Amino acid sequence: MAKRVYISADYSFDSGDRNVVAVLNQWGTDNLHKVDFIDMAKVVSGSISNDPDCRPCDLKQEFNQQINASSAVIFVVGDMTAYHKAGSSCSRATEERLNCSCTPYKHNANGSKMCKVFQTFSREEDSDVGNINSFSYLRHEFEQAKKRKKPIIVVYNSLRKETSWLPSYMKDYESDAQPFWIKNYLGEKVGNYTYIKRVLGYA
């Protein structure tokens, strides 16, 4: 039976980890593997991000919904992951609306707009991470997966363990994080499907 697995990764063209995501998605579509992957690129290309007034808080709410519907979450850690701050500029949690502005997603050329959130409230009793926060998109996804007690799988975009790449908020997973890549019997770099299959609970 297929599992819905959410993939969180850096999708930058110049320094991102799209190569890992591409292999994971390939495993999810060929006839040899049994995983239905949901990667962040698919989420942000959907209806919410097509809204010309889509804000970072809207995306974070969508991430929450996708993570909630998933069986597990894979976090791909590359050499730049700890430095990415996209999504962290929101100040609405501590400032009045009139003092806050943000840039609608994918519409940077149009400049920033006043915050559209009129009321905020505490999420302490809610099961989701509030979408009004100063977390980066990557950290928001991580905190949501933790709060909803989803199985978290951390892989390095590397042939070896790169503990120095881990963001500080992932340090508790340092002993469990593993390289995504291995060498096959021909000496070729390939994704470690056996490991991913095992940690997802397949026999």
Side-chain angles (χ1 to χ4, degrees), residues 12 20-21 25 29 37 52 59 78 81 84 88 106 111 118 121 125 127 131 141 168 172 175 181 199-200:
S12 301
V20 174
V21 177
N25 280 318
T29 57
F37 288 110
L59 285 178
T81 299
H84 281 278
S88 64
K106 290 185 178 179
F118 284 88
F121 55 93
E125 297 181 0
S127 57
N131 60 327
E141 291 168 315
S168 59
D172 288 346
S175 60
W181 304 102
V199 293
L200 287 177

Side-chain angles (χ1 to χ4, degrees), residues 51-183:
D51 183 339
D53 199 32
C54 174
R55 308 292 181 94
C57 56
D58 295 322
L59 285 178
K60 289 177 179 180
Q61 186 173 32
E62 173 70 6
F63 298 157
N64 284 356
Q65 293 168 358
Q66 294 287 355
I67 288 170
N68 291 350
S70 300
S71 301
V73 182
I74 293 177
F75 289 91
V76 182
V77 175
D79 60 348
M80 298 300 293
T81 299
Y83 302 101
H84 281 278
K85 306 299 182 184
S88 64
S89 61
C90 179
S91 59
R92 183 66 179 89
T94 57
E95 297 285 343
E96 294 295 327
R97 176 174 175 266
L98 293 177
N99 298 327
C100 300
S101 63
C102 63
T103 304
Y105 185 71
K106 290 185 178 179
H107 293 274
N108 297 35
N110 296 331
S112 61
K113 293 184 177 181
M114 181 182 294
C115 176
K116 65 180 183 178
V117 177
F118 284 88
Q119 292 184 324
T120 61
F121 55 93
S122 172
R123 308 284 293 201
E124 291 179 357
E125 297 181 0
D126 195 283
S127 57
D128 288 338
V129 173
N131 60 327
I132 304 296
N133 60 54
S134 59
F135 294 153
S136 67
Y137 293 131
L138 293 172
R139 180 167 185 179
H140 179 92
E141 291 168 315
F142 183 78
E143 298 295 341
Q144 175 68 5
K146 276 180 55 180
K147 191 165 187 181
R148 293 306 296 258
K149 295 180 170 53
K150 298 292 181 178
I152 292 175
I153 301 160
V154 181
V155 294
Y156 298 109
N157 185 6
S158 176
L159 284 162
R160 62 183 185 181
K161 288 178 71 76
E162 303 282 2
T163 57
S164 64
W165 292 0
L166 276 181
S168 59
Y169 53 86
M170 290 188 186
K171 285 300 183 182
D172 288 346
Y173 289 81
E174 183 174 324
S175 60
D176 296 325
Q178 296 295 321
F180 177 76
W181 304 102
I182 58 173
K183 291 289 185 72

Side-chain angles (χ1 to χ4, degrees), residues 34-54:
K34 300 180 179 180
V35 183
D36 176 19
F37 288 110
I38 305 166
D39 66 74
M40 197 258 284
K42 292 180 180 177
V43 174
V44 300
S45 64
S47 59
I48 287 180
S49 64
N50 288 334
D51 183 339
D53 199 32
C54 174

